Amino acid sequence: MRQRDGEAIFVVGSRGAGKTEWVMQRTHTEHRLLVWDSLQQWSKRGLVQPVWSITQLRDAILADMANPGRFRIGYAGPIAITLPRKLPARPVKVPMFEPFCRMAWAWLQKRKGSTLVVEELADVTQPGKAPDAWGEIVRKSRHAAGSKIYALTQRPAESDKTIAGNCDLLHVGRLSNPNDRKSLADYLDVPVGEVSKLQSLQWIERDMRTHRLSRGMVKFT
């Protein structure tokens, strides 16, 4: 029997637009969930068990590889760590997103049907080329059968474009920046006024596979 393809969902909206709540509601019953929870929103809500270092994340993933079961983990540690160097060399700042993504990709391939959420993509990517491991996840996650990738950002102009060009579903909430509204309207293939008129918690989305356009509002439960 043919395995179900994975799905990449790009979720965009200014602060207070409801994008995190929308994803939380969609993933509430997921048995296997890994979150880049640098803002600690998921951990504080009790939706994931936090780990505070890449080492702890590695140990959690290795334990799951050996003995799979319920897995709802959020990396709530620092975005980067500073490694001291002896003088005259300066301290070196090491980003944590790349090792997080390498581990996440290995986990997604092993545990098909799992879900990955990355909060605030603009904090860890740039408009140019995506970080290697993140780019691999976005481009190849379709082959991790049944897996879902959610990428969230307030500022799409400051995030890498790999997810925008490869997403299966584009979900857009209220955007404060006029340039962001225009670029997302182009991706949605709607007049910019459709995006400009969105109020807090309202959203518009397009399924890139079926071209179906939908509208709605986030409702807190």
Side-chain angles (χ1 to χ4, degrees):
M1 183 175 66
R2 183 180 181 275
Q3 290 183 310
R4 183 164 57 96
D5 283 344
E7 184 178 25
I9 302 102
F10 191 28
V11 185
V12 182
S14 296
R15 185 176 63 178
K19 58 186 179 299
T20 294
E21 180 66 26
W22 182 79
V23 176
M24 285 177 173
Q25 291 180 15
R26 282 177 62 104
T27 60
H28 184 69
T29 60
E30 295 285 353
H31 190 63
R32 311 188 56 75
L33 175 68
L34 175 59
V35 181
W36 172 262
D37 189 27
S38 58
L39 302 177
Q40 300 177 18
Q41 296 179 84
W42 297 69
S43 304
K44 289 176 181 177
R45 289 272 296 269
L47 298 174
V48 295
Q49 178 183 341
V51 296
W52 303 99
S53 70
I54 289 296
T55 300
Q56 289 180 344
L57 176 62
R58 178 202 64 194
D59 292 345
I61 288 176
L62 287 175
D64 184 65
M65 295 277 194
N67 186 23
R70 181 176 170 82
F71 184 99
R72 291 180 65 93
I73 297 290
Y75 173 78
I79 292 175
I81 61 173
T82 301
L83 299 179
R85 293 289 183 92
K86 293 181 179 180
L87 294 176
R90 295 181 178 180
V92 175
K93 183 172 284 189
V94 180
M96 294 292 100
F97 189 58
E98 179 72 14
F100 170 89
C101 287
R102 287 200 299 268
M103 294 179 194
W105 181 227
W107 177 73
L108 286 169
Q109 292 178 89
K110 184 72 171 179
R111 297 286 174 249
K112 299 184 188 300
S114 299
T115 298
L116 172 67
V117 175
V118 173
E119 283 278 1
E120 199 40 63
L121 198 61
D123 285 348
V124 290
T125 70
Q126 297 178 352
K129 185 177 183 294
D132 289 345
W134 171 243
E136 187 170 22
I137 288 174
V138 173
R139 291 189 302 271
K140 299 179 181 178
S141 61
R142 179 178 295 276
H143 306 294
S147 296
K148 290 184 180 179
I149 312 299
Y150 291 89
L152 293 76
T153 188
Q154 295 181 25
R155 286 301 315 276
E158 297 176 4
S159 309
D160 79 89
K161 302 301 185 291
T162 307
I163 183 65
N166 288 274
C167 67
D168 301 296
L169 181 69
L170 175 58
H171 178 94
V172 178
R174 178 185 58 80
L175 288 163
S176 300
N177 185 280
N179 291 330
D180 288 340
R181 294 197 292 264
K182 184 178 185 308
S183 64
L184 268 298
D186 289 342
Y187 276 114
L188 287 166
D189 195 21
V190 299
V192 67
E194 287 284 306
V195 178
S196 298
K197 71 182 182 182
L198 291 172
Q199 303 296 311
S200 293
L201 305 183
Q202 291 181 333
W203 53 259
I204 182 172
E205 68 182 23
R206 186 177 291 280
D207 188 317
M208 299 304 189
R209 299 155 297 190
T210 65
H211 307 294
R212 181 173 181 267
L213 192 68
S214 304
R215 297 172 179 82
M217 176 174 285
V218 176
K219 297 180 180 180
F220 288 80
T221 57

